[in-house]
Amino acid sequence: MATSKSKSNSLVSHETQKRLQRIAVYLTALLISVFTIIPVYIMVVIAIQSPASTFAGGRVNLLPTQPSLRNFVVLLGTTDTVRYFVNSLIVTLGSTILSTSIAVAAGYGLTRFDFTGKSIAARAVLFSYMFSPIVLAIPLYVVFSTLGLLNSHFALTLALTAISAPFCIWLMWQYFQTVPIALEESAWVRGASRWRTVKDVVLPVARPGYISAAIFAFAVAWNDFTMARVVMSRDEMYTITVGASLFLDRVSIGWGETMAVSLLIALPPFLIALFLQRYLLQGFSVGGLE
């Protein structure tokens, strides 16, 4: 009887502990969600209201009653936001394509070809990602200045690729290790070349990996401020992050327009993560980042 009661008490204690742990996880998630959602909510509310509605009654109105696109109209009509946005798209897409291509080629090579120091080289690539972009900014500025590439989309694309490529290479190296070599051997037996095997067999299987790498490269390039500020010195070549920072010094641009451009900056990464989150989770989990 004593043993049975002891086991019963132990089970009750175990269930209570699991319940408390679950409650703690839910409370932590709720707290993090609140701190994450509130700034985004404030940004959206101020962006979709006119200044008169936002600051009616001498206080900030966080419950919009009269939504308006006035801030976006003023922003697009009186600033170079469209040009900044296009510049960001050009360098971000260029850097994403270049980083992903390099990552796929290097990751496949590190996985399928044996050479001395392969493991050291792979870890050295990841170690190089740990350096802050500001450490690379001055050397790259000197190089681009010497080559006459300053104030060009090409130079900024190369600079952003230098930041994101190391991690993308490491991610693809990890992912290609999960692709069975037997799939390639089966294609080779049927007479396929290595290039066709990679294109028709390996890449379809590794789709979550290189999509995750592309999303990461996109996020790095789109949110970059340091490299764009160092490489570009002409106003018409600025990206949206640098251009938006200039609005704070303009008397004609208020908080409504500032929140509107912030919303425009946040939308592309949000939409990409929203629609490609399945690939993102698969790529990062298989890549050892779960």
Side-chain angles (χ1 to χ4, degrees):
M1 289 291 293
T3 303
S4 177
K5 183 178 292 187
S6 176
K7 288 183 178 179
S8 177
N9 291 335
S10 177
L11 288 174
V12 172
S13 176
H14 182 67
E15 289 297 326
T16 302
Q17 184 178 3
K18 288 181 62 176
R19 189 177 296 108
L20 290 176
Q21 289 178 348
R22 193 179 300 113
I23 292 174
V25 170
Y26 289 155
L27 288 177
T28 303
L30 178 62
L31 187 63
I32 293 175
S33 299
V34 168
F35 278 100
T36 303
I37 293 173
I38 286 179
V40 177
Y41 174 78
I42 294 175
M43 175 182 69
V44 173
V45 167
I46 296 178
I48 63 174
Q49 291 187 106
S50 65
S53 299
T54 301
F55 301 103
R59 58 182 179 81
V60 179
N61 180 19
L62 296 181
L63 296 175
T65 56
Q66 296 178 336
S68 170
L69 295 178
R70 179 262 179 198
N71 294 324
F72 295 94
V73 173
V74 173
L75 182 70
L76 298 178
T78 62
T79 68
D80 293 326
T81 300
V82 174
R83 179 181 296 173
Y84 298 151
F85 201 89
V86 171
N87 289 338
S88 285
L89 284 178
I90 292 173
V91 298
T92 298
L93 292 178
S95 176
T96 300
I97 293 172
L98 188 57
S99 295
T100 307
S101 301
I102 293 173
V104 169
Y108 182 82
L110 288 170
T111 306
R112 295 295 187 250
F113 300 104
D114 291 324
F115 55 89
T116 304
K118 180 175 74 171
S119 180
I120 296 176
R123 285 170 172 77
V125 168
L126 180 61
F127 178 75
S128 66
Y129 174 69
M130 298 180 184
F131 291 99
S132 172
I134 196 64
V135 176
L136 301 175
I138 303 304
L140 287 177
Y141 177 85
V142 174
V143 171
F144 293 147
S145 178
T146 303
L147 297 176
L149 295 176
L150 292 178
N151 291 302
S152 68
H153 294 134
F154 179 68
L156 185 54
T157 299
L158 292 181
L160 295 174
T161 301
I163 297 174
S164 59
F167 182 83
C168 293
I169 292 173
W170 183 84
L171 180 63
M172 291 309 303
W173 173 53
Q174 294 290 312
Y175 201 93
F176 278 130
Q177 293 180 43
T178 67
V179 179
I181 187 65
L183 295 177
E184 297 178 65
E185 292 173 344
S186 177
W188 295 336
V189 168
R190 289 172 171 78
S193 63
R194 181 176 290 275
W195 164 247
R196 184 171 181 182
T197 300
V198 172
K199 180 172 70 72
D200 295 339
V201 177
V202 178
L203 288 183
V205 177
R207 184 178 291 113
Y210 64 74
I211 289 180
S212 298
I215 293 174
F216 174 80
F218 181 93
V220 169
W222 184 262
N223 294 316
D224 171 76
F225 178 88
T226 303
M227 285 299 177
R229 198 71 179 87
V230 170
V231 174
M232 304 297 192
S233 59
R234 296 208 306 263
D235 184 78
E236 66 271 15
M237 298 301 295
Y238 285 154
T239 58
I240 189 66
T241 50
V242 178
S245 68
L246 302 178
F247 297 161
L248 298 176
D249 298 329
R250 297 181 58 169
V251 178
S252 59
I253 301 298
W255 282 110
E257 293 83 1
T258 302
M259 293 299 103
V261 73
S262 299
L263 184 59
L264 291 178
I265 294 173
L267 275 179
F270 172 77
L271 294 176
I272 288 177
L274 178 65
F275 291 109
L276 299 178
Q277 59 180 318
R278 177 167 61 92
Y279 294 106
L280 186 65
L281 294 175
Q282 290 179 4
F284 279 177
S285 63
V286 175
L289 297 176
E290 59 183 347

